Amino acid sequence: MSADWLGSLVSINCGATLGVYQGEVTSVDQASQTISLRQPFHNGIKCPVPEVTFSAMDIKELKILEIPNGVCRNSSSQGVPTDPCPASSGFSGRSTGAAGCGGPSSSAPMAVPRKASAVGRAVSQATPKKNGVKNGGGGPMKVKDDECFGDGMDPGLDTDFDFEGNLALFDKAAVFSQIDTSERRGNGARSRGTPGERTPSRYRHDENILEAEPIVYRQITVPQQGGKEYCTDSGLVVPSIPYELHKRLLSVAERHGLTLERRLEMTGVCASQMALTLLGGPNRLTPKNVHQRPAVALLCGPHVQGAQGISCGRHLANHEVEVILFLPNFVKMLESLTNELTLFGKTGGKQVSSIKDLPETPVDLVINCLDCHENAFLRDQPWYRAAADWANQNRAPVLSIDPPVSGQEQAVEAKWSLSLGLPLPLAESAGRVYLCDIGVPRQVFQEVGVSYHSPFGCKFVIPLHSA
């Protein structure tokens, strides 16, 4: 009859050394006098092993917590015979309650007293239901969740939240009336502090809320005015300087190490960057648009301005722009001009010496570097007049690099002009003026009497507006 006790929940006291075990009876072996429990708990803590087997000689006391038919039994060993009925259970260990003679079908089962042991209560609360199934199933993970969180769920959590009822409690008119009252007390600004606290004025999204020193818009002062002033997009005043001061500035810069080669490279980079923007920038120069490469005609003379233009053409050619360089054949040329021509020849750009070899159809951009600051007699040369006529008849826009001052009327009307360092007083035919940073240090400006703070910010080429 040992099979009658399978599935019962019992508590086994093995003395002070082994402690107390609780679990579900899985087997009772009459021959070996052993009993096995599955999902055992040891002193209230779940055992890491799924099953534990006990010998009768180790058991000091056995209590039945629950039997398969749902009748709970728990009693002390007082008044219970110590010799069980072998014909009933076949187990000779010391037992109490229904583990004695009579078995589960006894006509007079022992009633369960309300004061069960603390261990018995702990096990009955923490032990999962039979077969690990609870609340409709769920498997091992569900069993672990039940062991962790228990059965004491708040029934109120199953009630749906009444959003409409909660929203009805919000009095929108009263809240907005309170906000308007607070704003009137704060003279138009929303008050977020105490009622008597003075609130700051409102700020736009593009205004700085931190108090700062007033901006000084005239940060560049020159000893000699060029007769014209410009301003940047941010309002900084950039005065023009006469050509004599500009020439002295470049001479001092070269003495400090800013050589002509460095200035040529810097000018070429900045001018080519501006030209690339005028040609369309990323909208035009893309790998998918290789069949429509922009074409630029570069008109240069035998001087430093011509060398600056060739440097610009070299950088444009390196950026996959089709560059056609016009430079007449001269018996003697500057060394810097010769060096720039040699580098330009490595890019694959086209060089011509006759106007007849220039494109007959309009190009995307004409870069004018024909003029010189000092030698005005070049304008009387046939090649100069022919190149100027071609540029004026070609319907492409013109960019002039480092054009001369307004005293010398320009033969080619430009749409944009690029000045270096500080602007010269250019004529109206120069078009819109841009300023290029060629890397002149502040100490060099100070040495020629110019109080200088850079107006460029994060850029190397900035537009200038007539003040």
Side-chain angles (χ1 to χ4, degrees):
M1 303 297 292
S2 60
D4 296 337
W5 300 104
L6 299 182
S8 301
L9 299 181
V10 299
S11 175
I12 299 177
N13 187 356
C14 297
T17 303
L18 298 180
V20 180
Y21 288 83
Q22 299 89 21
E24 181 181 342
V25 178
T26 58
S27 67
V28 178
D29 193 337
Q30 180 179 359
S32 60
Q33 291 292 294
T34 58
I35 183 173
S36 299
L37 306 182
R38 76 178 185 91
Q39 297 182 357
F41 282 78
H42 180 220
N43 294 332
I45 302 175
K46 188 172 183 180
C47 297
V49 294
E51 190 175 67
V52 179
T53 302
F54 302 90
S55 177
M57 64 181 62
D58 296 328
I59 299 176
K60 304 298 182 182
E61 184 181 17
L62 188 147
K63 295 180 181 180
I64 299 176
L65 306 176
E66 183 178 343
I67 57 177
N69 60 4
V71 181
C72 295
R73 300 176 180 271
N74 192 352
S75 64
S76 62
S77 59
Q78 298 176 359
V80 180
T82 59
D83 294 331
C85 178
S88 173
S89 65
F91 184 73
S92 59
R94 184 177 181 181
S95 61
T96 62
C101 293
S105 59
S106 173
S107 59
M110 180 178 291
V112 180
R114 296 299 301 171
K115 55 175 185 177
S117 64
V119 176
R121 287 198 306 270
V123 174
S124 62
Q125 294 176 0
T127 304
K129 298 294 183 179
K130 289 188 291 184
N131 299 327
V133 178
K134 188 175 183 180
N135 296 332
M141 297 303 296
K142 182 65 178 176
V143 173
K144 292 184 179 180
D145 292 342
D146 293 338
E147 293 173 357
C148 178
F149 299 104
D151 298 334
M153 298 298 294
D154 186 2
L157 296 178
D158 295 333
T159 305
D160 293 337
F161 182 76
D162 187 4
F163 288 94
E164 295 182 358
N166 185 268
L167 184 61
L169 300 177
F170 175 71
D171 190 349
K172 184 177 179 180
V175 172
F176 276 93
S177 175
Q178 184 179 3
I179 293 176
D180 294 338
T181 304
S182 300
E183 290 184 350
R184 287 193 297 269
R185 291 178 179 177
N187 296 326
R190 183 171 297 180
S191 176
R192 295 183 180 179
T194 58
E197 182 181 359
R198 182 179 179 181
T199 57
S201 59
R202 291 177 179 265
Y203 292 94
R204 296 195 312 269
H205 67 280
D206 58 344
E207 288 184 316
N208 190 356
I209 64 174
L210 301 178
E211 295 184 2
E213 298 180 357
I215 302 176
V216 179
Y217 290 99
R218 188 176 293 275
Q219 300 180 358
I220 302 176
T221 57
V222 295
Q224 298 175 348
Q225 286 283 348
K228 202 169 187 180
E229 284 189 343
Y230 301 92
C231 64
T232 65
D233 289 340
S234 58
L236 298 178
V237 178
V238 180
S240 64
I241 58 175
Y243 175 69
E244 291 76 13
L245 181 58
H246 177 77
K247 184 178 179 181
R248 187 155 55 96
L249 176 65
L250 296 182
S251 176
V252 175
E254 187 166 358
R255 180 162 50 85
H256 284 280
L258 191 63
T259 61
L260 176 60
E261 288 75 14
R262 289 193 174 191
R263 300 200 306 271
L264 289 177
E265 190 68 18
M266 194 67 182
T267 303
V269 170
C270 293
S272 62
Q273 190 176 37
M274 179 179 176
L276 290 172
T277 303
L278 298 176
L279 291 172
N283 298 324
R284 180 76 182 276
L285 298 167
T286 61
K288 297 181 180 180
N289 198 26
V290 293
H291 62 287
Q292 292 181 338
R293 293 173 55 190
V296 173
L298 185 59
L299 309 179
C300 297
H303 37 60
V304 174
Q305 282 68 33
Q308 293 173 165
I310 298 174
S311 176
C312 173
R314 170 167 56 89
H315 290 289
L316 290 176
N318 288 335
H319 285 261
E320 302 299 329
V321 176
E322 184 180 349
V323 181
I324 304 172
L325 169 62
F326 168 77
L327 181 66
N329 291 325
F330 296 99
V331 177
K332 186 177 181 180
M333 290 190 299
L334 298 174
E335 181 182 0
S336 59
L337 194 65
T338 305
N339 294 336
E340 291 297 331
L341 279 175
T342 303
L343 290 174
F344 177 78
K346 307 296 182 182
T347 63
K350 183 179 179 181
Q351 179 183 353
V352 299
S353 58
S354 175
I355 297 297
K356 299 179 181 180
D357 298 327
L358 288 174
E360 296 180 359
T361 57
V363 293
D364 293 280
L365 180 66
V366 174
I367 298 179
N368 177 26
C369 298
L370 295 172
D371 295 295
C372 177
H373 290 288
E374 298 177 349
N375 190 358
F377 298 101
L378 291 176
R379 299 185 177 185
D380 299 330
Q381 300 293 327
W383 62 266
Y384 182 96
R385 293 197 302 269
D389 292 340
W390 180 90
N392 290 327
Q393 293 175 5
N394 196 284
R395 298 180 180 178
V398 178
L399 168 64
S400 293
I401 299 178
D402 196 14
V405 295
S406 58
Q408 305 177 18
E409 190 64 28
Q410 298 183 18
V412 179
E413 186 173 355
K415 188 174 182 178
W416 309 281
S417 292
L418 184 62
S419 295
L420 311 182
L422 285 177
L424 299 173
L426 301 179
E428 294 297 329
S429 58
R432 186 172 184 180
V433 181
Y434 283 76
L435 189 63
C436 165
D437 183 9
I438 57 175
V440 179
R442 180 185 296 183
Q443 187 176 353
V444 175
F445 283 102
Q446 294 177 353
E447 191 168 336
V448 297
V450 177
S451 177
Y452 181 81
H453 291 272
S454 175
F456 293 97
C458 62
K459 301 180 180 179
F460 283 87
V461 178
I462 57 175
L464 296 181
H465 312 276
S466 298

